Amino acid sequence: MSNDKKHNRPKYSLEFRQDAARLVLEKGYSQQQAAEHLGISQSALGRWVRAERKPSANESATKKSCQNLSDHDELIRLRKENEQLRMEREILKKAAVLFAKEAE
C-alpha cells in the first residue's frame, strides 16, 4: 500500500472514548447501538470497551493484563518522551566527541 492511500483514523479524546465505553458497560447499550448513536465504528468501540473492562476473576493469569485507556495513553506519551530523550542523549554524546577532538 502506498503512503498516498493510507487511511487516517479520526482522533478521539480520552474522555470521549471512556464515555463511549461506559455506554456499553454501565448503561446497557449494545456495542452496535452505541456505535451507531455516536457515529463511530463498532470495532473502535469494541477496543475501547475491552480496554475499560475490568479483568474478571476467571481470566487466565498468563493473559496480558488489560490497561484502561488512561494508562494506555500515559504509556504512549512516556514512550515518546523516552525516545526523544534517547535521541537528545545521542546527539550530546556526538557533540562531546567533536568538542574533545577540537580541544586536542
Side-chain angles (χ1 to χ4, degrees):
M1 180 183 278
S2 71
N3 288 339
D4 296 336
K5 296 188 179 190
K6 279 188 178 179
H7 177 68
N8 293 328
R9 278 196 267 173
K11 303 271 186 197
Y12 297 104
S13 70
L14 173 62
E15 183 179 2
F16 178 83
R17 292 180 286 167
Q18 289 174 330
D19 288 344
R22 275 191 221 109
L23 283 175
V24 174
L25 296 172
E26 297 173 6
K27 303 295 183 190
Y29 282 73
S30 71
Q31 286 187 16
Q32 182 178 3
Q33 289 172 323
E36 288 174 2
H37 179 72
L38 297 171
I40 58 176
S41 72
Q42 194 171 345
S43 61
L45 181 59
R47 285 192 307 273
W48 303 343
V49 168
R50 283 190 302 277
E52 284 296 302
R53 188 173 282 142
K54 304 291 185 244
S56 62
N58 63 355
E59 281 187 358
S60 170
T62 60
K63 278 191 174 181
K64 183 180 176 186
S65 66
C66 294
Q67 299 174 340
N68 65 25
L69 292 171
S70 59
D71 288 344
H72 181 69
D73 283 351
E74 182 179 14
L75 179 61
I76 289 172
R77 182 187 62 77
L78 290 172
R79 284 181 176 167
K80 286 180 182 177
E81 182 180 343
N82 195 17
E83 182 60 29
Q84 181 179 356
L85 291 171
R86 281 188 180 133
M87 287 175 22
E88 290 172 358
R89 185 182 68 201
E90 290 301 315
I91 292 169
L92 290 173
K93 282 182 183 180
K94 290 176 183 177
V97 169
L98 287 174
F99 288 132
K101 288 181 180 178
E102 287 179 8
E104 291 177 354

